[in-house]
Amino acid sequence: QVQLVESGGGLVQPGGSLRLSCAASGSITSISAMGWYRQTPGKPRELVARITNSGATNYADSVKGRFTISRDNAKNTVYLQMNSLKPEDTAVYYCNTNGILTYGADFISWGQGTQVTVSS
């Protein structure tokens, strides 16, 4: 019903920057929150940043001051600007969104994940 297409991951040196994008499409009436999570092997998936449809944001303490989440409601797209990247930011990053479908049902959807590797 809802497809999330992520892009922007890759390999970057410590101190570098990357910008992730996630576009939602499908039978969507409205989107509430959009967010980014990350996961490393053997660890649970953790919230990185989240933004509501009114623009309110929250961040993991580990990324505050370095990462910025934003969204384009007209394009149903969320972005994550990641600056001053550290090796511990290495993970698979997943986009997440929730909202209402055209026939009134709620939805929660996850992207396929994009690898971010921070290494010299």
Side-chain angles (χ1 to χ4, degrees):
Q1 302 287 353
V2 176
Q3 297 79 42
L4 298 182
V5 178
E6 301 161 347
S7 61
L11 173 65
V12 63
Q13 292 186 342
S17 298
L18 283 175
R19 188 190 193 213
L20 305 182
S21 300
C22 173
S25 63
S27 304
I28 300 170
T29 292
S30 63
I31 293 178
S32 299
M34 303 185 82
W36 290 94
Y37 292 70
R38 66 187 181 187
Q39 189 170 25
T40 55
K43 293 187 177 181
R45 193 171 295 186
E46 63 173 3
L47 175 68
V48 176
R50 185 175 177 270
I51 184 168
T52 69
N53 55 5
S54 62
T57 59
N58 62 291
Y59 296 90
D61 288 343
S62 60
V63 307
K64 284 180 180 177
R66 300 188 297 121
F67 291 10
T68 302
I69 190 170
S70 61
R71 64 189 280 177
D72 184 333
N73 291 331
K75 296 181 179 180
N76 286 342
T77 299
V78 63
Y79 306 96
L80 185 68
Q81 178 66 44
M82 304 185 293
N83 299 329
S84 302
L85 282 160
K86 305 175 181 180
E88 50 264 44
D89 294 317
T90 295
V92 178
Y93 284 70
Y94 295 91
C95 176
N96 170 270
T97 186
N98 65 282
I100 301 175
L101 298 172
T102 53
Y103 52 88
D106 295 337
F107 75 87
I108 298 174
S109 187
W110 289 91
Q112 78 282 1
T114 185
Q115 177 70 46
V116 171
T117 302
V118 185
S119 175
S120 55

